[in-house]
Amino acid sequence: MAELTLENAAALVVGAGQGIGRSVALALASEGADVTLAARRAGPLERLAAEVAEASGRRTSAVVADIADPSQGRAAVDATIQEFGRIDVVVNIATYGGGSVSVADLDWDDYLTAVQINVIGTMEICRSAAAHMASLGGGSIINVSALSATTLMADLSRYTSTKGAMESMSKTMAKEVGPSGVRVNIVTPGLTTGEPLSSMFERMAEAQNRTPEEISDGFARQAALRRHVDPDDIAQAVLFLASSRSRNITGQEIQVTAGQHIM
């Protein structure tokens, strides 16, 4: 069986904050990858890089980047190559949601921000990394999407449409770069534990005069496995797609949702 290990691979994690970003960075490093972490805020980024290095013994670097500017995304790719001499894995987690708003009330400038980050910025990183991966004989790109791009919830059109565009472009790109050995896949989380989800439950509980625990339990009962997912669950799916165990998987979406949505 092919190895899960990523010994001496070089990985770039974009959107490497707490939650999914932290779990993905730790998982890649634990399997032997050197990791570049990219995000907008220097302080938390540097602390996470130090945590990953201490936990894994692998080399880490931190690059401040706002992928709304495509040149900063390219710079993160270039920094990874300069630091480690190569780039084998890219994980795009950075995203822009922007809250709930109906199509009728969309602000187009705000919508363009979502396009810039969720589509253009993400795919600029993909194509920049893929060009270098092709020279090495291959690599793996994993883009993190959102379940709402499939379920198409009301008042989330800004998020669902831009994530949907990213998914479509990722799958098309998989066909284009496949002959060079580069794989492009998507991981879609369900309701993922952590501060953002807890805050959402608290807001809903206040509006409905219920407890956050009641709201959480209600959503969990909608999932086939009757639970939410953890950031580490997402990281394990990313780790599989980054490794040679998934060497014949490309252009696919893996939903890690505890069965929140089954097609």
Side-chain angles (χ1 to χ4, degrees), residues 113-263:
T113 299
V115 171
Q116 198 68 35
I117 295 172
N118 296 344
V119 185
I120 297 173
T122 295
M123 297 311 299
E124 179 63 25
I125 292 167
C126 291
R127 69 179 188 175
S128 298
H132 185 77
M133 290 174 177
S135 70
L136 300 175
S140 178
I141 297 171
I142 301 110
N143 292 327
V144 175
S145 189
L147 185 58
S148 58
T150 299
T151 58
L152 302 178
M153 295 174 62
D155 298 329
L156 291 181
S157 63
R158 172 179 46 211
Y159 197 46
T160 62
S161 63
T162 53
K163 281 296 191 181
M166 182 275 288
E167 289 186 7
S168 179
M169 198 175 293
S170 297
K171 292 176 181 179
T172 303
M173 186 180 181
K175 293 183 176 182
E176 297 169 350
V177 299
S180 299
V182 180
R183 298 182 294 112
V184 185
N185 290 290
I186 301 160
V187 171
T188 297
L191 294 174
T192 306
T193 58
E195 192 278 330
L197 186 65
S198 296
S199 294
M200 184 185 82
F201 289 156
E202 288 170 4
R203 291 192 301 271
M204 294 178 70
E206 183 176 356
Q208 299 176 27
N209 195 28
R210 301 169 66 193
T211 68
E213 291 74 20
E214 288 173 331
I215 299 293
S216 177
D217 289 345
F219 276 103
R221 285 194 298 272
Q222 296 174 23
L225 296 177
R226 301 297 191 269
R227 59 177 179 253
H228 306 310
V229 301
D230 297 325
D232 286 349
D233 298 318
I234 313 306
Q236 288 303 308
V238 168
L239 190 58
F240 169 68
L241 290 173
S243 76
S244 59
R245 285 192 180 180
S246 61
R247 68 188 188 92
N248 279 321
I249 299 177
T250 194
Q252 303 301 309
E253 178 188 6
I254 294 180
Q255 293 193 357
V256 185
T257 69
Q260 189 77 35
H261 177 76
I262 298 176
M263 294 172 42

Side-chain angles (χ1 to χ4, degrees), residues 34 81 165 194 212 247:
D34 297 319
I81 297 167
R247 68 188 188 92

Side-chain angles (χ1 to χ4, degrees), residues 85-98:
R86 57 191 297 126
I87 187 166
D88 304 284
V89 177
V90 169
V91 186
N92 283 304
I93 304 168
T95 192
Y96 180 79

Side-chain angles (χ1 to χ4, degrees), residues 5 7 24-33 35 52 55-56 58 236 239:
T5 181
E7 194 69 33
V24 166
L26 286 167
L28 292 170
S30 72
E31 293 298 331
V35 184
V52 172
S56 66
R58 302 305 305 180
Q236 288 303 308
L239 190 58

